[in-house]
Amino acid sequence: MAIYGLRVVSFIFAALAFVPAGAHFFSMYSKLKLDGTSYLAAQRAYDGWSLFGIVVLGALLSSAALAVVLYRSGGAFGLVALAFIAIGATQFVFWNFTFPVNRATRNWSMLPDNWEMLRRQWEYSHAAAACLNALALLLLFLSALRLDARTA
């Protein structure tokens, strides 16, 4: 029963982590066409979204706990471990590509001379994170489909 609960919690956190990532991904094409002033205005839509970091932490912790429990129970934990790695990779992308742009633009409250290059880095890093979040969600879903009698 604990495994089932961890699966549900992991899936919910991974799905919630995909919400802002998916929003960034699906708005990227339109936002890359905007001029500087319009882009700064559009970026205000993301004010307060840093609170989703709590969801990412929940996704990391719950997927790690699920992987440990599956490993200890003799269950197949590979897909869950890969989901954890994918969620962790979103943090690598954020801290190495997104966060430096946030700092350089003061969270898109000003446009430095190289703002277009920074915009591309910011948008593509979010697209990469969205793909990693989608992969994590898929892996967690597939792991639930591969339940065996000992881990159900």
Side-chain angles (χ1 to χ4, degrees):
M1 190 61 157
I3 292 174
Y4 178 79
L6 273 174
R7 281 189 189 281
V8 169
V9 169
S10 294
F11 193 79
I12 289 170
F13 274 124
L16 289 173
F18 181 67
V19 169
H24 285 301
F25 180 82
F26 291 111
S27 67
M28 179 179 73
Y29 178 74
S30 297
K31 286 175 50 195
L32 285 172
K33 295 178 185 178
L34 298 175
D35 62 66
T37 303
S38 299
Y39 190 76
L40 283 181
Q43 289 299 89
R44 298 291 45 91
Y46 302 119
D47 288 348
W49 281 34
S50 60
L51 294 174
F52 267 98
I54 296 166
V55 171
V56 175
L57 180 61
L60 278 168
L61 294 175
S62 61
S63 61
L66 180 58
V68 168
V69 169
L70 287 173
Y71 181 78
R72 288 184 177 163
S73 71
F77 75 103
L79 292 172
V80 175
L82 288 173
F84 168 76
I85 291 168
I87 296 165
T90 68
Q91 289 304 289
F92 175 83
V93 169
F94 177 81
W95 292 108
N96 288 283
F97 298 99
T98 310
F99 185 73
V101 173
N102 288 343
R103 297 224 23 203
T105 62
R106 293 187 210 140
N107 287 317
W108 292 105
S109 63
M110 55 82 88
L111 292 178
D113 291 337
N114 62 341
W115 77 271
E116 290 171 309
M117 185 275 301
L118 292 170
R119 172 177 64 179
R120 280 190 302 278
Q121 180 174 325
W122 194 89
E123 293 290 344
Y124 292 147
S125 69
H126 277 291
C131 292
L132 289 165
N133 275 307
L135 176 62
L137 196 55
L138 176 64
L139 290 167
L140 288 170
F141 180 73
L142 292 174
S143 75
L145 293 178
R146 298 185 75 186
L147 287 174
D148 60 53
R150 293 185 331 178
T151 62

